[in-house]
Amino acid sequence: MQAGLPGLMPRLWRYGLVLSGNREDAGDLAQATALRALERSHQFKAGTRLDRWCFTILGSIWRNELRSRSVRRGQGLVPAEEADLIAPDKSETNIMATQVLSEMMKLPEAHRETMFLVYVEGYSYVEAAERLEIPVGTVMSRLSTGRRRLNSEMAE
């Protein structure tokens, strides 16, 4: 647990950023996740992927935070270039990835989170559905809607 968490922190921060749209909240979520994972390490089952377990913890912390705060609106999103998802060189692939990520950050949270889990973190539809506690059909619908919206925005 202690050996795996440091390498996982950038991914937890990015997931927190995708959920919150705020750099400071992303850092807080990553740290709270690491702390909770260490505190509850006895609950970690051997053979379970640490990253997926921590992503579940982070999502739970975020949903609890949302329930305890007023609805967040208009706090501004981090530019894709600052999200550490793109390699520092300015190749054509990175430029396109930056544009896609910028448009993805404008999607509603549910679509943004679903797309992140499937397309960035590589979760299967079933794994994403389990993580989000929604039906697989809802994952497919969110992905379809998100892709359509991204395609229309990118076409403009």
Side-chain angles (χ1 to χ4, degrees):
M1 176 78 54
Q2 290 180 352
L5 277 175
L8 190 55
M9 292 304 287
R11 290 176 60 201
L12 291 173
W13 182 85
R14 285 190 300 258
Y15 185 37
L17 179 64
V18 166
L19 292 179
S20 69
N22 180 289
R23 293 178 67 81
E24 289 78 27
D25 287 342
D28 291 346
L29 285 167
Q31 289 180 6
T33 299
L35 180 61
R36 187 167 298 169
L38 290 171
E39 289 172 347
R40 298 185 181 175
S41 61
H42 64 280
Q43 295 175 347
F44 183 74
K45 296 178 184 159
T48 303
R49 289 187 51 174
L50 179 61
D51 60 342
R52 304 241 164 123
W53 187 63
C54 287
F55 273 46
T56 300
I57 292 170
L58 191 144
S60 175
I61 292 170
W62 176 245
R63 282 189 299 279
N64 290 340
E65 181 68 20
L66 284 180
R67 282 190 278 270
S68 68
R69 290 184 181 187
S70 304
V71 176
R72 294 179 180 185
R73 298 282 186 234
Q75 291 187 349
L77 297 174
V78 172
E81 299 83 18
E82 295 179 27
D84 294 332
L85 293 173
I86 311 301
D89 69 359
K90 291 294 180 189
S91 69
E92 188 173 321
T93 302
N94 281 343
I95 292 168
M96 182 61 142
T98 299
Q99 291 170 343
V100 169
L101 182 60
S102 293
E103 291 302 324
M104 188 177 104
M105 292 300 285
K106 296 176 186 175
L107 295 173
E109 180 183 336
H111 293 86
R112 198 170 61 231
E113 180 178 17
T114 304
M115 292 184 80
F116 177 81
L117 290 174
V118 173
Y119 297 132
V120 177
E121 286 300 322
Y123 280 54
S124 71
Y125 290 7
V126 171
E127 291 168 331
E130 289 171 355
R131 161 64 198 84
L132 297 170
E133 299 176 351
I134 58 174
V136 173
T138 303
V139 168
M140 294 167 61
S141 174
R142 287 179 183 177
L143 293 173
S144 175
T145 301
R147 282 191 306 264
R148 264 195 317 275
R149 288 180 70 178
L150 286 177
N151 284 334
S152 71
E153 291 295 324
M154 297 299 288
E156 294 178 0

